[in-house]
Amino acid sequence: MGRRALQKLDPTLDLSAHYRTVEQMPAPFDAEAWFGRRAPLEIEIGSGKGLFLRNASRNQPEHDFIGVEIMQRYARYAAGRLARQKQSNALMLHGDALAFVRDKLTDQSVWAAHVYFPDPWWKRRHRKRRVMNELFIHDLDRVLCPGGSLHFWTDVREYFEVTLELLAEKTAWEGPLPVVEKAAEHPLDYRTHFERRMRMHSEPVYRSEFRKPA
C-alpha cells in the first residue's frame, strides 16, 4: 500500500509559528518559554502527515505538542495543517527525532511520547536503525516525567514483541498496559493515516502503552 501524493502546500501560508528544524531549536529546549505557558508537553516521533498532531492538539488544548519528522516535505505539510488550523499549542520539526530527544530535551520534561508505525527496517542487518532501540529508550526514560507515558504502535508483530522485551529489560516502567481499539467516529478519527489504512484493509495493529512510575 503506497502513500498517496501530498497535496501542494499553499505558498502564501505562514509557517513561522508552526515549523522549525531540529537544528534551529535551542538546547536546552524550554517548552514554557516557547509556548508561553506552563503545560504538559507531548512529543511524537515520526509525524508523517501530522494527523495525530493535528487531532491531539485540537482535542487537548490544555497540552502542548511537538512532532518531529525526518522527511522535509511531510514535516512542512504537517506544519501547514497546523497553521491552517491556527493551532497555537503545536509545533512541527523537521530532522532527527532521536537527536532532538537526546540533545535538546531536559530531564523529566515530557508528559507523553508517541511512536506510531515507525519504519520496521525489515532486513536483519538494518534493524540497528530502528527507532525503538536501547539508546533511545534510555533517553526517553530520562526525559519522561514521573507518571509520564510511552505510546508505541506498529503493524509488525516481530517489532512489537522485540520492543516489549527491550522495554521490560531496560526500564522499570509499568506495562504493557492494554489499549482498546475504538470505533472511528468520522473518516479521520485515527491516530495516524497509516492506522487508518491498516484498519480499512483489516490488517492487525499492535498497540501498547507504558507508564513511568510516579
Side-chain angles (χ1 to χ4, degrees):
M1 290 178 285
R3 285 180 169 180
R4 291 184 178 179
L6 292 177
Q7 297 176 351
K8 289 185 177 180
L9 194 64
D10 181 353
T12 67
L13 194 61
D14 181 9
L15 301 183
S16 60
H18 299 93
Y19 178 80
R20 290 290 191 279
T21 67
V22 168
E23 290 77 13
Q24 289 173 326
M25 302 307 290
F29 174 72
D30 184 344
E32 184 175 352
W34 184 270
F35 290 104
R37 65 176 185 173
R38 184 186 295 272
L41 175 66
E42 303 197 28
I43 61 173
E44 183 188 19
I45 309 302
S47 296
K49 296 178 183 178
L51 182 62
F52 167 76
L53 207 63
R54 184 180 63 168
N55 288 343
S57 59
R58 179 175 54 199
N59 295 335
Q60 294 179 278
E62 71 281 6
H63 286 209
D64 293 328
F65 294 84
I66 294 178
V68 192
E69 171 57 45
I70 192 68
M71 298 181 68
Q72 185 183 45
R73 68 182 186 275
Y74 280 91
R76 288 182 61 83
Y77 179 84
R81 290 180 134 185
L82 296 175
R84 286 195 298 271
Q85 195 170 288
K86 295 181 171 56
Q87 207 64 47
S88 62
N89 65 329
L91 172 67
M92 192 67 228
L93 300 180
H94 164 238
D96 184 344
L98 276 61
F100 175 68
V101 174
R102 181 186 67 236
D103 301 333
K104 309 288 186 175
L105 295 179
T106 57
D107 295 358
Q108 299 184 9
S109 60
V110 173
W111 178 248
H114 302 265
V115 185
Y116 298 124
F117 306 98
D119 192 327
W121 292 104
W122 292 102
K123 293 182 179 179
R124 185 172 296 276
R125 68 177 183 273
H126 291 160
R127 289 183 182 176
K128 61 184 179 182
R129 302 180 186 178
R130 286 178 169 178
V131 166
M132 298 305 293
N133 59 55
E134 183 176 344
L135 290 177
F136 179 57
I137 289 170
H138 172 77
D139 289 331
L140 277 184
D141 196 30
R142 177 183 63 82
V143 303
L144 277 180
C145 303
S149 59
L150 165 69
H151 304 262
F152 171 61
W153 297 13
T154 178
D155 62 315
V156 181
R157 185 183 184 97
E158 177 271 338
Y159 195 178
F160 185 74
E161 292 175 346
V162 167
T163 299
L164 264 55
E165 290 174 3
L166 189 60
L167 288 165
E169 178 184 351
K170 300 299 180 181
T171 75
W173 299 348
E174 302 167 5
L177 306 175
V179 181
V180 178
E181 178 179 296
K182 70 180 186 67
E185 297 180 5
H186 54 79
L188 291 178
D189 187 23
Y190 298 92
R191 287 291 173 103
T192 72
H193 285 281
F194 198 91
E195 186 208 358
R196 180 175 182 268
R197 285 194 297 163
M198 291 297 101
R199 290 176 60 178
M200 288 179 67
H201 288 83
S202 300
E203 296 290 341
V205 174
Y206 305 100
R207 301 168 175 83
S208 64
E209 178 182 348
F210 287 81
R211 190 168 299 130
K212 186 175 179 178

